[in-house]
Amino acid sequence: MAEIFFFIAGIGAIAGAVGVVTVRNSFYAVLALVGHLLSLAALFLLLRAQFVAAAQVIVYAGAVMVLYVFVVSYVAEGPFQSTPGAITGGARALAYLFAVVLAAELMIAMLGNGLEAVGHDGAPYDPGFGTPAAIGKLLLTKFLFPFEAASFLLLIAAVGAVVLARRRGSGIDPAFRPVLSVMDLVREERLGTMAETVHAGTGAGPAVGATAPLGAGGSDLAADGREAGW
Amino acid sequence: MAIGWYLAVSALIFTIGAAGVMTRRNPLVVLLCLELMLNAANLALIAFSRMHGNGDGQIFAIIVMVVAACEVTVGLGVIVAMHRRNLPIDVDELRELQG
């Protein structure tokens, strides 16, 4: 029974991976990756990693892929609609040659290493293996430092993503800053927050679409018409 | 099922992901292929964890998932910033840093 399940999930995972690489439309590539991740979660279940399988489905196939779908549909309506395909010519042949060599090398390293345990089913059955209780105990005792480091990494990534993808204030008149709430007194100018855009829209100053005198931060985006419309 | 089967699947997925990183020019798809490679490593880690009956490999896999989520967040932020600046979404066109 486990064999049938393994081959279904394994073929699904490999087919999903091939789909990600070959499909031209990046939206379908994301959907192929979702299928791949679900098959991979089934493989994790076969390996008795219940908690990791659940996290894979919820965090990866759920949250991260939603982020992907949003960005794909956001980027798709720009002036560069023609999505670039694969490279061509000699570089492509070289890339595939490298991939085949890599596959052969990995197979030799993993299957031809002569380790006896690789040919067996693994360790004997332990009812507590892979449960959330076991994982949580390990995370909070033996692996406390990696756990904390990972949480800091997540914080840094969240801040970095906001800084990278923020609106750089165009269409906002720096001379006209109405104080509507206490936060307006402490907020710096041109942070690209939603509040600034709202103020730019409600202000009685120059029209929103007119290019306001901009600081060094936003001048390169002053001519970007799409920004002003927000 | 013997552990070797899982390792073979993991090696194949890693190779497919590496081929995608090398051949595709859309940075979104390149990020997706990076995900494939990280997931192949996760599968190998969990297979070895099962082989030894030891939970450490699963912790490692969870940390890899966290790092992958961070990488996706920052990578997609870069792509959105490229889109905002009207740069082409094509890794072959972005070669200003070339010496």
Side-chain angles (χ1 to χ4, degrees):
Chain A
M1 190 62 201
E3 282 82 3
I4 301 169
F5 202 53
F6 169 81
F7 277 109
I8 293 173
I11 290 170
I14 291 172
V18 171
V20 170
V21 177
T22 53
V23 170
R24 275 197 68 87
N25 189 336
S26 45
F27 191 76
Y28 291 138
V30 175
L31 290 186
L33 189 65
V34 173
H36 164 82
L37 291 174
L38 292 178
S39 309
L40 217 56
L43 286 180
F44 289 172
L45 273 182
L46 280 176
L47 289 167
R48 296 199 196 129
Q50 302 97 324
F51 178 75
V52 184
Q56 172 101 353
V57 170
I58 294 170
V59 176
Y60 239 124
V64 175
M65 288 304 118
V66 167
L67 192 64
Y68 262 111
V69 169
F70 269 122
V71 172
V72 165
S73 47
Y74 175 65
V75 168
E77 46 92 37
F80 296 98
Q81 284 194 341
S82 61
T83 49
I87 57 172
T88 49
R92 181 176 194 155
L94 203 64
Y96 282 134
L97 179 71
F98 180 77
V100 169
V101 171
L102 182 68
E105 189 188 339
L106 281 174
M107 289 295 178
I108 291 169
M110 285 188 156
L111 302 179
N113 53 12
L115 284 178
E116 221 175 275
V118 169
H120 290 100
D121 276 3
Y125 179 64
D126 171 17
F129 180 70
T131 54
I135 299 278
K137 198 172 175 187
L138 274 175
L139 268 182
L140 290 178
T141 54
K142 193 175 173 187
F143 295 100
L144 185 60
F145 181 71
F147 180 64
E148 294 294 334
S151 61
F152 268 110
L153 186 67
L154 277 173
L155 177 68
I156 293 166
V159 174
V162 170
V163 168
L164 275 172
R166 69 179 175 175
R167 265 190 296 279
R168 288 167 179 81
S170 58
I172 299 168
D173 183 10
F176 182 75
R177 290 191 77 214
V179 178
L180 298 181
S181 69
V182 185
M183 273 309 289
D184 289 336
L185 298 173
V186 293
R187 193 186 287 121
E188 275 186 59
E189 275 187 60
R190 245 191 293 289
L191 279 176
T193 54
M194 197 71 88
E196 279 190 353
T197 319
V198 172
H199 288 183
T202 56
V208 179
T211 17
L214 287 163
S219 59
D220 49 348
L221 280 173
D224 192 351
R226 276 181 298 136
E227 303 285 322
W230 293 13
Chain B
M1 290 300 291
I3 299 297
W5 284 96
Y6 294 95
L7 296 181
V9 170
S10 157
L12 272 179
I13 294 171
F14 188 89
T15 310
I16 294 167
V21 168
M22 286 186 286
T23 55
R24 298 303 299 260
R25 289 186 299 154
N26 189 341
L28 274 165
V29 181
V30 171
L31 273 180
L32 288 175
C33 294
L34 280 177
E35 296 283 309
L36 283 182
M37 294 166 78
L38 286 167
N39 275 302
N42 265 354
L43 182 58
L45 283 172
I46 288 179
F48 283 125
S49 165
R50 169 84 185 86
M51 185 169 108
H52 292 290
N54 187 342
D56 294 6
Q58 299 188 4
I59 304 288
F60 202 158
I62 289 173
I63 300 289
V64 168
M65 282 167 66
V66 170
V67 174
C70 294
E71 165 244 321
V72 164
T73 319
V74 175
L76 291 180
V78 168
I79 291 174
V80 169
M82 280 160 62
H83 180 67
R84 286 253 169 89
R85 286 171 181 265
N86 280 334
L87 292 172
I89 309 289
D90 184 347
V91 291
D92 274 1
E93 301 290 326
L94 301 168
R95 50 188 166 203
E96 281 175 30
L97 286 180
Q98 206 175 45

